[in-house]
Amino acid sequence: MLCPNRRSILSLGAGAAGAFILPRISIAQADNRPSITIAVQKVANSNTLDVLREQSNVGERVFYSSLWEALIGKDWRSDLRMTPGLATEWRRVDDQTVELKLRQGVKFHNGDEMTAEDVVFSFSRERMFANTEAKNRSTIRATEQIPTPRPGKELPGDLPAVARRIWPDLVRVEAVDKYTVRFVNATPDVTLEGRLSRSGSDIMSRRGWEEAASYLDWARKPITTGPYMVAEYRPDVSLTLVAHDEYWGGRPPIKQIRFVEVPEVSSRVNGLVSGQYQFACDIPPDQIAGIEKNAGFEVQGGTIANHRLTVFDKNHAQLANPLVRRAFTHAIDRQAIVDSLWAGRTRVPHGLQWEFYGDMFHADWTVPEYNPKLAQDLLKQANYKGDPIPYRLLNNYYTNQVPTSQVLVEMWKAVGLNVQIETKENWTQIMERTPTRAVRDWSNSAPFNDPVSSIVAQHGPNGQQQQIGEYANVEANALCEVLETSTDRPKRRLAFRRMLEILEREDPAYTVLHQNATFTAKPKSIKWKASPAFAMDFRPGNFGS
């Protein structure tokens, strides 16, 4: 005989709650919190709101800290340091195990309380890993595409690939009791806490998943714990969130947030000035002065933990020789790009790393020097004959993307590289594996303070470059395992240094252009502080008018 649990009782008893409907409507009618509209370049590349599928800059903006939350949070208003989130505390049991105490009384958007059961399910095979195995360093092949409806809850093929990118060695999550969980790894890992704080390690309602008709239905209206919940998602058009008034962090200050896709910068700015939008995102630096000439508006933002890259497919006939890729890297005057297109508001960084790596940061490392003569010599050594090299490009998905591409093509042309821009409509077309895939734009973030969060996660055996078949290097892959499993920090530091040498100098997988920066325009009358990230924080305490 089946015994009904608390959740099934609540579900079965929904009709009996009718007596409470009128007071709730009365409260809603008296709600004088503002509604806001935010003009963005894109809401989601995958046309879903699944944090595992939408590992993107645009996804970070709409997800955090409005919709998805992790056990270990981030201080979005300061330096992004790890803070208690859905867990109030955590401790190391050993090099392979972390135990966390869950915050009690946290409510999902469906009214259920979050318990260890939901955490265990969020990291289950059904939700995350499918038939993949821990401690397997082989590359899981994947493609970047918009998912189509599938029968039942079958996961898109890319999803387990991303899950193993984030958690390569996670064996299981155990429920110790209702409010205690343990994450058990197959190998030692000094970065378990960082992995728990990063995008993709967020918690969802098990019942919300089970009650959805299909994966796609769930992925477009996930039941999570954030201060706002999905009211309507129209792919390629808009996302509307409404306040989750049972939010554990206090009553949200905004009644409704609407993210609307406005691809053109001029339309975003004009809509802001006219009052159609309260926020306009991804403002190029050359537009900032014009906006702030109006005393009623301001632009916030700056550099973030994200670098812009040019990425190579070493399988392309003209790029198979690393000397040609090296020539690309030495033909770029990065400082000129920063000065001319970014008005000096960003910088050329120390390769694919950030200072907040602490003792893992290599301060003496630099990007390849701007040396056109060396680039020409490398092309001569490679016997490059001027054959065309395709450069797949999106229309300003990244701030200043098109003008940057035009500058790059001219710099490459000056040393003898024949690079041809091919404009594409979406990331599926950018990633499509055909003989014309050669050069593309990308950006890499560091979700936490260790190299595994970026150089390994993006360029290692299950990084995107290898999963889509753009790149592989045997030595670099072996070094990834050192970074992921060793507890010897000096050894890990040396491994990271060698990876930089391989991936940025000897056998280039990419070249770093500049640190990314993001700028958001708004009326001065709205009291709000931008995060040092793509994320937009609208939790209690960070919005007023």
Side-chain angles (χ1 to χ4, degrees), residues 148-156 209 212-217:
T148 54
R150 294 164 176 259
K153 302 290 174 51
E154 182 185 348
L155 298 176
W209 170 275
S214 68
Y215 166 79
L216 197 57
D217 287 326

Side-chain angles (χ1 to χ4, degrees), residues 207-225:
R207 183 166 73 90
W209 170 275
E210 291 172 344
E211 291 182 351
S214 68
Y215 166 79
L216 197 57
D217 287 326
W218 171 84
R220 290 181 172 172
K221 197 171 185 178
I223 305 300
T224 62
T225 62

Side-chain angles (χ1 to χ4, degrees), residues 88 171-172 192 203 218 252 255-256 277 289 324 364 369 412 479 487 528:
T88 56
V171 176
R172 63 185 181 277
L192 288 176
I203 307 305
W218 171 84
K255 180 168 59 178
Q256 176 181 286
Y277 314 127
V324 175
D364 64 334
E369 67 169 330
W412 291 327
L479 293 165
T487 59
W528 176 83

Side-chain angles (χ1 to χ4, degrees), residues 26-159:
S26 176
I27 291 172
Q29 289 173 341
D31 192 343
N32 59 3
R33 288 174 294 180
S35 296
I36 63 171
T37 301
I38 303 170
V40 297
Q41 189 274 343
K42 188 72 177 171
V43 170
N45 297 318
S46 66
N47 280 348
T48 76
L49 304 177
D50 181 355
V51 71
L52 279 172
R53 283 292 297 118
E54 192 61 35
Q55 292 274 303
S56 68
N57 303 342
V58 294
E60 179 180 301
R61 176 174 290 127
V62 300
F63 291 161
Y64 303 109
S65 52
S66 295
L67 186 62
W68 285 95
E69 294 184 310
L71 296 173
I72 299 178
K74 292 182 180 179
D75 186 349
W76 293 110
R77 300 173 202 171
S78 181
D79 56 3
L80 304 183
R81 67 183 182 276
M82 289 186 284
T83 62
L86 296 180
T88 56
E89 58 184 278
W90 52 92
R91 70 179 182 91
R92 278 278 178 158
V93 176
D94 53 41
D95 286 340
Q96 299 174 221
T97 312
V98 173
E99 183 176 281
L100 302 98
K101 296 290 185 183
L102 303 185
R103 190 179 297 277
Q104 299 186 27
V106 172
K107 294 294 183 68
F108 285 112
H109 299 156
N110 61 5
D112 291 348
E113 183 187 17
M114 179 195 71
T115 68
E117 173 190 344
D118 300 290
V119 176
V120 171
F121 183 77
S122 295
F123 294 86
S124 65
R125 288 189 180 276
E126 184 177 353
R127 154 60 179 151
M128 220 180 187
F129 297 111
N131 61 355
T132 64
E133 298 297 336
K135 205 176 177 180
N136 181 354
R137 290 299 183 275
S138 60
T139 299
I140 303 171
R141 295 299 176 187
T143 57
E144 184 76 18
Q145 61 185 6
I146 295 173
T148 54
R150 294 164 176 259
K153 302 290 174 51
E154 182 185 348
L155 298 176
D158 289 4
L159 199 150

